[in-house]
Amino acid sequence: MKLASLKEGGRDGTLVVVSRDLSRGVRVPQIAATLQQAIEDWDRAAPALAEVYAALTRGDEPRSFAIDPQQLASPLPRAFQFLDGSVYLHHMEKARKARGADMPPNYKTDPLMYQGLSDRFIGPRDPMVVPDESLGLDYEAELAVVVGDVPMGTSAAQASGHIKLLMLLNDFTLRTITRTELPKGFGFMQAKPTSSFSPVAVTPEELGAAWDGEKLDLPILSSINGQPMGRANTARDMFFTYRALIAHAARTRSLSAGTIIGAGAVSNLDPETGYACLAEKRADEELAAGRATTPWLRFGDRVRIEMLDAGGASIFGAIDNAVAKA
């Protein structure tokens, strides 16, 4: 099934069940007022939500209304925890080389992960506001999972059962700030202003055979101002899977229901799949010509991220954020 949040009812929005073609929605206050409430009581809420989804799919849900993507918040407008990894080592190696940083000595044994801002996310069609173009705004096209309660010590083998939802992610990054912030040794803060997520989150069974319990075998499409940037497959060249990321995060603490876990900008070894962020494209330009020629995002630029099924239909809806001055 597919779930979304309307920009109404407070900071956590109003939960709606969305039709498979993303055209219709139904409010479900009798089941859960918000997606966070549903995730916290998933064993009870999920079957009831699935019944509404089935009725909506059949076209016999009288409470349905037309979905306007502009009125949608992030599926989770805020989250108790947002963790983002970097499991496409090809991307990580290039990004670090571009800013003159070495790879961590254990990067092939322990996933790289940071805890990001989660008290607010911008909506899938909201502007991304930044104070200054000189901060080097970049996008990162990613896939993220939402988990239920994960006990401390959960193993990778046990982790798949805790994945309740998947959604697309644009993890905005201010690349100029990373050059001075990360060497301090305390990780990201100012360099990660906020993120945006796809209009809907989907349950794993909605993805069919493309989802194997730990990775999704589909390309993620990104473009800037209508010009295609990349179509890398999210399963290919994934050094650590979502199961490994969950186990890594839960090694010394439990994870609360609604925790979001990303896997980093998607990057394939095949150069024909393009790029999921500007940093990697600029790194290739520097390697080839000695300097980067592609600019960072500027005011007025529009970034679009989407994923299509085998029939060409949008699975999650499109993230479509314009860059604006704060």
Side-chain angles (χ1 to χ4, degrees), residues 33 82 131 150 185 207-208 210 240 257 269 276 280 315:
F82 167 44
V150 180
L207 300 166
F240 298 101
L269 290 169
E280 193 170 327
I315 299 172

Side-chain angles (χ1 to χ4, degrees), residues 253-324:
R253 58 178 171 175
S254 60
L255 308 179
S256 297
T259 294
I260 302 169
I261 300 177
V266 183
S267 180
N268 293 163
L269 290 169
D270 180 4
E272 294 301 314
T273 61
Y275 306 96
C277 68
L278 291 172
E280 193 170 327
K281 187 174 192 298
R282 287 169 57 93
D284 276 349
E285 291 170 349
E286 289 179 0
L287 290 171
R291 67 184 185 94
T293 56
T294 297
W296 300 119
L297 294 171
R298 295 167 173 164
F299 297 142
D301 284 345
R302 184 175 291 275
V303 180
R304 184 181 178 93
I305 299 171
E306 194 169 17
M307 183 175 283
L308 308 179
D309 63 19
S314 184
I315 299 172
F316 302 90
I319 301 173
D320 196 340
N321 302 124
V323 181

Side-chain angles (χ1 to χ4, degrees), residues 31 55 68-69 99 116 161 179 226 252 255 297 305:
I31 302 173
D68 176 4
R99 66 171 188 263
R179 291 179 177 271
T252 60
L255 308 179
L297 294 171
I305 299 171

Side-chain angles (χ1 to χ4, degrees), residues 42-53:
W42 192 248
D43 288 344
R44 178 198 64 83
L49 293 171
E51 289 182 8
V52 176
Y53 184 65

